[in-house]
Amino acid sequence: MVCVGRRAGKSVLGLNRCADPAVMARPVAWFSPTYKMLIETWREAVRTFAPITARRSVQERRIEYVTGGMLEFWSLDNPDVARGRKYQRVVIDEAAMVPNLLDIWQYAIRPTLADYNGDAWFLSTPKGRNGFWQLWQRGRDGSHPDWQAWQMPSSVNPRLAQSELDAMRDMLPESAYRQEIEAAFLEDGGSVFRNVPANLTAPTDATPEAHAGHTLVMGADWAREADFTCFSVGCVTCRQEVARDRFNQVDYHVQTQRLQALAQRWQVASILTELNSIGQPVFEMLQRMGLPVVGFTTTAQTKPQLIENMALAFERGEWAWQADN
């Protein structure tokens, strides 16, 4: 079990284990969480092992060594892909990102090592206290002598400049830095938002008159039944929340009327509203009402950055929010 920070060199270590003299005459397997991640490592393996390659199958993602061994690549998009195979060694890359890792290990991958009494290398940056953490614990508690565990930060890679690590420490939220760079296992994937109470200092009795001439903006998050719709008005000049409205089980016509009333009362310069799901038709309705709306779409790629920016704002005390009544 090898728990290391980002860019520490775990993939290089994994490929090294695939060409260890102890396994060069036997079959070895590489498992990646997704096919996309697998392809990147496959290309690197093709270049690295070219001098000892006898045959190579791009279609089957297999490299056969001149020594008689071979290396096969599998994506855990389908956890049963390697059933019926037998290996001297397996490498599970980015193991913390594999859903249901414990089940996949016990029922699909572990049996492939039985014929050769083989071994496994789990390589990953941590991602909360999930299956990877549970297996990593086996190598730490001393009651499983056939398991070993290591934990190393990104700085073990001598090719990473310390200035880059320092820059990431300045830009990343503390929880993100500890997990991604220091390889720390954090509760709940890092308890993203910290230092929240210290930021709940904005007055709850703010008035538009007190912020006359300031730049005011507004954010809208829509819901209908189970979840809550929330509007938040913030003063960019004072860097604080000045008003909010939160409710549920209200139809969208009434919701837009409430947003319009709040926006007009505070004379906001722009209203940021999500376009996902029901957001697009509501956005168009607000446009027809003449409100200064700006739409955005949340994706799997953009959401982590938004969360990190928010977490960093909390940690640095860059904005003040109103406490709940």
Side-chain angles (χ1 to χ4, degrees):
M1 304 302 302
V2 182
C3 172
V4 291
R6 297 276 289 275
R7 309 309 302 164
K10 56 184 175 295
S11 295
V12 174
L13 171 63
L15 290 176
N16 176 278
R17 298 294 81 202
C18 292
D20 178 23
V23 301
M24 287 299 290
R26 296 280 178 80
V28 177
W30 181 285
F31 293 91
S32 291
T34 65
Y35 182 75
K36 185 176 181 179
M37 296 174 71
L38 179 148
I39 289 300
E40 183 176 341
T41 308
W42 159 260
R43 291 169 180 161
E44 183 62 30
V46 168
R47 291 191 293 268
T48 301
F49 299 138
I52 59 170
T53 297
R55 283 177 295 278
R56 182 174 68 245
S57 171
V58 176
Q59 182 176 3
E60 297 182 355
R61 305 297 176 195
R62 183 176 66 245
I63 297 173
E64 297 180 17
Y65 300 145
V66 295
T67 56
M70 70 174 180
L71 171 59
E72 294 185 310
F73 286 79
W74 301 102
S75 165
L76 290 173
D77 288 324
N78 176 4
D80 293 325
V81 288
R83 283 184 178 271
R85 302 282 181 164
K86 54 184 180 180
Y87 296 112
Q88 177 68 51
R89 173 170 294 162
V90 299
V91 175
I92 299 96
D93 190 30
E94 294 295 358
M97 296 180 62
V98 178
N100 303 314
L101 176 65
L102 293 178
D103 287 344
I104 291 174
W105 163 245
Q106 293 166 352
Y107 295 108
I109 298 178
R110 177 63 181 88
T112 67
L113 301 172
D115 288 75
Y116 295 125
N117 191 27
D119 59 33
W121 288 75
F122 294 78
L123 314 175
S124 191
T125 299
K127 193 176 180 63
R129 299 194 173 185
N130 55 10
F132 176 68
W133 176 76
Q134 293 179 53
L135 292 175
W136 185 82
Q137 288 289 99
R138 292 189 181 186
R140 302 288 289 184
D141 62 17
S143 60
H144 300 277
D146 53 340
W147 287 76
Q148 296 183 59
W150 294 266
Q151 186 175 29
M152 294 166 282
S154 300
S155 57
V156 297
N157 183 350
R159 296 174 180 266
L160 281 182
Q162 184 60 45
S163 59
E164 284 297 308
L165 297 175
D166 292 341
M168 284 189 282
R169 182 185 291 276
D170 290 339
M171 294 300 298
L172 292 174
E174 180 187 353
S175 57
Y177 186 86
R178 289 185 60 210
Q179 176 174 279
E180 302 298 322
I181 306 303
E182 296 182 342
F185 288 102
L186 305 179
E187 294 275 5
D188 251 350
S191 296
V192 178
F193 299 111
R194 300 157 55 89
N195 199 39
V196 173
N199 291 269
L200 303 180
T201 57
T204 57
D205 58 353
T207 64
E209 292 75 23
H211 294 270
H214 295 183
T215 300
L216 293 144
V217 295
M218 186 174 182
D221 188 18
W222 303 97
R224 176 68 186 271
E225 297 294 338
D227 207 352
F228 281 75
T229 289
C230 187
F231 307 143
S232 176
V233 180
C235 178
V236 178
T237 307
C238 300
R239 303 190 69 80
Q240 65 182 27
E241 185 180 46
V242 296
R244 92 165 62 137
D245 193 8
R246 183 173 180 269
F247 48 85
N248 73 344
Q249 298 185 358
V250 176
D251 69 58
Y252 291 120
H253 175 72
V254 175
Q255 291 190 36
T256 57
Q257 296 296 318
R258 291 179 68 157
L259 179 140
Q260 182 183 40
L262 190 63
Q264 290 178 343
R265 178 170 183 259
W266 286 92
Q267 293 296 296
V268 299
S270 63
I271 304 169
L272 192 62
T273 177
E274 192 176 21
L275 298 178
N276 299 56
S277 185
I278 55 88
Q280 182 65 47
V282 176
F283 173 76
E284 294 172 358
M285 187 184 306
L286 295 173
Q287 281 185 315
R288 289 194 295 271
M289 295 167 68
L291 294 172
V293 287
V294 178
F296 72 96
T297 301
T298 303
T299 68
Q301 289 71 41
T302 62
K303 191 169 185 177
Q305 186 61 56
L306 292 172
I307 293 173
E308 284 190 6
N309 290 343
M310 187 73 166
L312 196 60
F314 275 119
E315 289 186 8
R316 293 180 173 178
E318 295 177 344
W319 193 276
W321 282 268
Q322 296 177 342
D324 289 335
N325 295 326

